[in-house]
Amino acid sequence: QVQLVESGGGLVQPGGSLRLSCAASGFTLSYYAIGWFRQAPGKERERVSCITGSRGITYYADSVKGRFTISRDNAKNTVYLQMNSLKPEDTAVYYCARARSYYSSAENGYEYWGQGTQVTVSS
């Protein structure tokens, strides 16, 4: 049974940092792409970052490039999203998701989703 569980969200001041974790179970992490998505109130869900299966190539949305880093620990079956220099516009519910294969650029290519973790950036 595939499961994804996010953790690490919270309230942080602008300029601060958070590290989100996505604990995966029920499948071999290195075989599949894992994406981090976010959805702010009144906005569509957007892909923030992803890491491909196999080679672990990483991708970032322009809005977070240079500030966020995605990584994968196969031994711990966990994917991380290190978020630095956080801005109020980063406030959203963050979800991790598993793709149907080693890579997907489209949201509909992700078939399993976690429950989400709230990130609030505010002074």
Side-chain angles (χ1 to χ4, degrees), residues 54-113:
S54 185
R55 295 170 64 189
I57 298 171
T58 58
Y59 296 86
Y60 299 94
D62 288 342
S63 58
V64 306
K65 203 170 292 183
R67 300 188 298 121
F68 290 12
T69 302
I70 190 170
S71 62
R72 184 178 71 203
D73 186 332
N74 293 333
K76 295 183 178 180
N77 287 333
T78 302
V79 174
Y80 303 97
L81 185 68
Q82 177 67 43
M83 306 186 296
N84 298 328
S85 302
L86 282 162
K87 305 174 181 181
E89 51 264 43
D90 294 318
T91 296
V93 178
Y94 283 71
Y95 302 88
C96 66
R98 196 206 82 174
R100 302 178 194 277
S101 67
Y102 72 96
Y103 175 69
S104 177
S105 61
E107 184 173 323
N108 62 13
Y110 290 81
E111 60 179 340
Y112 294 99
W113 294 79

